[in-house]
Amino acid sequence: MRILVVGKGGREHALVRALAESPEPPALFCFPGSDAISELAEPVAADGVESLVAWMKTHAIDLCVAGEESYLVKGEGLANLCAKADIPCWGPPKESAQLEASKEFSKGFLLRNAIPTARATACATLAEACSAIAGQYPVVLKFDGLAAGKGVAVCPDAAAADEFLDEVFTQRRFGDGRVLVEECLSGPEVSVFAAIVDDSYLIFTPARDYKRIGEGDRGPNTGGMGAVASRQLIAPETLAQIEAEIIRPTVAGLRRETLPYRGFLYFGIMLTPSGPQVIEYNCRFGDPECQAVMPLVHGDLAGFCLAGAQGQLRADLLEFDEGWSVCVILASAGYPATSRSGDLISGLESCGEARIYHAGTRRNSAGQWETNGGRVLAVVAGAATREAAVEQAHAAAGCIDFSGLQRRHDIGILHFT
Ligand code: AMP
Ligand code: GLY
């Protein structure tokens, strides 16, 4: 089998590695990929989605796996172009990927399908937003578009709200778009992933992401500073409630609204005192949740994704480990406001059993690994208990160093004690 994976981050490194570990190892290709990914998957030079799909056609690619969301909604959409070219694609078409790309669309979908979510009002102007907030704090403000994880502000007070609204409506930091003024929910968050194939689904191992840069969940939001994953993360009755009130109605809603879906769907959920509620959908796996979850998935991922892209949910091809997995992110100096590239990385070979996924790295002219982005590496360890996985992941993370390294020491610990 010949598989092309789209994306370049730690999530795609983990996906490529998991696909490579399938019982009949596929020939792997990546776009745009990275120096680390290209050790497992041959990079493809293309200058856009159209030329990439043309390349896939001429190079007899059997399956395209969408790692990163942006390609799903660029131009005609990656999956739409694959469909035209008759290439199975694991990842939804553009119209369905609006669930992630437009917060207003996803809110409408949630409400139409009676899926629990926070109340929200869509606002086109600063004045409308101020009137929707009506002096009630805390409030959550969300830019209605892809904003690389920076488009959401949880505002404790008017000063925070004014700052975000200024960025959106005056500085136009994210381009044109409306803002959702949303009720602020509270409770622990979980990321639940399902592989969806038309009207059937398979729930993968749930995870928790640590979004803030600082220990104790302090400081600004990031793309994710670590994750913990386990079947045991959520009580069975809570998972049953999530399935009944959120996952099943979502799959039924996609069918009812003729939104085709074959791929991973990520449910960002808050476990509020009045039950689980959807915070967001993402039309892909989470990053860094994917790096934590993939080592717990055994079996034939390549066969599973191909069958799924062709319309068959082959749950029998996968097995899920009952244990725990902990992923610690090592980020570069300045992250998340900025990032620094070019710092030499040491200790990569001394991490023992831990898995290392590269997110923002490159090889320098001497062949050494150096930083190349905000989130640099993900260090992942698995064990039967959370405590053992925590100890191993943090010990391995401690073996790696580079100038300006930032990491959290409470990944897998905070929210459990
Ligand atoms: P999102 O990009 O929609 O996942 O939002 C980023 C983060 O903002 C989430 O992971 C939550 O921590 C927080 N958040 C989003 N919506 C809400 C909400 N309605 N109430 C409280 N926190 C929220
Ligand atoms: N870890 C959050 C995300 O992938 O959106």
Side-chain angles (χ1 to χ4, degrees):
M1 197 193 310
R2 294 163 65 80
I3 305 180
L4 182 133
V5 176
V6 178
K8 62 179 184 333
R11 169 184 48 215
E12 288 74 25
H13 196 201
L15 278 175
V16 162
R17 183 144 166 206
L19 290 165
E21 289 171 358
S22 300
E24 284 179 41
L28 287 162
F29 302 85
C30 62
F31 173 82
S34 65
D35 287 350
I37 294 174
S38 63
E39 295 188 347
L40 297 167
E42 194 180 310
V44 173
D47 59 10
V49 186
E50 280 83 5
S51 76
L52 178 66
V53 174
W55 183 93
M56 285 193 256
K57 194 71 196 161
T58 51
H59 290 77
I61 292 297
D62 300 299
L63 171 67
C64 172
V65 173
E68 189 180 318
E69 65 278 14
S70 62
Y71 300 95
L72 296 170
V73 292
K74 256 186 214 152
E76 281 186 58
L78 175 66
N80 307 65
L81 287 169
C82 283
K84 268 194 193 165
D86 215 13
I87 300 166
C89 180
W90 185 242
K94 187 172 181 174
E95 55 276 24
S96 308
Q98 294 307 312
L99 277 186
E100 171 166 6
S102 164
K103 300 219 180 265
E104 199 176 333
F105 179 87
S106 66
K107 187 60 73 177
F109 177 90
L110 287 159
L111 295 175
R112 284 194 296 281
N113 292 287
I115 300 166
T117 187
R119 286 189 309 270
T121 313
C123 304
T125 63
L126 182 59
E128 275 179 40
C130 292
S131 122
I133 296 171
Q136 297 294 306
Y137 298 97
V139 71
V140 180
L141 303 178
K142 299 187 173 182
F143 177 73
D144 181 36
L146 290 179
K150 311 257 163 57
V152 174
V154 180
C155 305
D157 50 34
D162 290 347
E163 192 183 323
F164 184 79
L165 293 172
D166 183 65
E167 283 181 16
V168 173
F169 290 118
T170 314
Q171 301 171 32
R172 300 265 164 203
R173 179 171 169 202
F174 310 114
D176 286 338
R178 315 211 303 174
V179 162
L180 283 193
V181 174
E182 188 166 296
E183 167 196 14
C184 190
L185 304 174
S186 64
E189 285 182 56
V190 286
S191 310
V192 176
F193 305 95
I196 297 192
V197 179
D198 306 332
D199 51 5
S200 51
Y201 60 86
L202 175 68
I203 301 175
F204 273 52
T205 310
R208 173 165 296 142
D209 174 18
Y210 292 79
K211 287 204 164 76
R212 304 296 187 101
I213 186 74
E215 277 162 30
D217 283 346
R218 295 201 185 82
N221 262 336
T222 69
M225 289 298 289
V228 53
S230 174
R231 284 306 238 199
Q232 301 162 56
L233 186 68
I234 306 178
E237 56 277 16
T238 308
L239 190 57
Q241 193 182 2
I242 289 171
E243 184 173 0
E245 296 177 6
I246 294 174
I247 299 177
R248 233 180 281 139
T250 297
V251 174
L254 289 169
R255 297 297 277 171
R256 192 172 318 115
E257 302 192 10
T258 44
L259 294 169
Y261 210 105
R262 292 178 183 171
F264 293 120
L265 181 57
Y266 167 144
F267 300 79
I269 291 171
M270 199 169 261
L271 304 175
T272 76
S274 57
Q277 301 210 32
V278 176
I279 293 281
E280 63 166 344
Y281 289 114
N282 293 310
C283 297
R284 52 170 174 83
F285 228 99
D287 186 342
E289 292 97 322
C290 186
Q291 294 91 307
V293 169
M294 279 306 146
L296 298 171
V297 180
H298 306 294
D300 184 0
L301 187 67
F304 177 85
C305 294
L306 178 63
Q310 292 172 327
Q312 235 194 329
L313 184 84
R314 290 285 310 274
D316 58 300
L317 293 180
L318 297 180
E319 272 173 40
F320 298 95
D321 206 305
E322 283 305 312
W324 291 78
S325 175
V326 170
C327 164
V328 177
I329 294 288
L330 310 183
S332 72
Y335 184 71
T338 59
S339 65
R340 197 166 76 196
S341 295
D343 291 308
L344 263 195
I345 302 170
S346 65
L348 280 170
E349 57 303 314
S350 45
C351 296
E353 302 268 283
R355 285 174 178 246
I356 312 293
Y357 299 116
H358 290 233
T361 68
R362 66 184 177 213
R363 281 197 192 272
N364 64 17
S365 52
Q368 300 159 306
W369 289 109
E370 60 181 34
T371 62
N372 184 31
R375 290 188 293 174
V376 177
L377 294 161
V379 181
V380 184
T385 64
R386 181 181 57 81
E387 290 79 0
V390 162
E391 196 184 315
Q392 289 168 30
H394 286 280
C399 297
I400 299 178
D401 199 20
F402 50 84
S403 171
L405 182 152
Q406 304 187 74
R407 82 176 235 235
R408 284 180 60 165
H409 294 79
D410 59 357
I411 305 296
I413 302 167
L414 187 73
H415 305 305
F416 289 96
T417 46

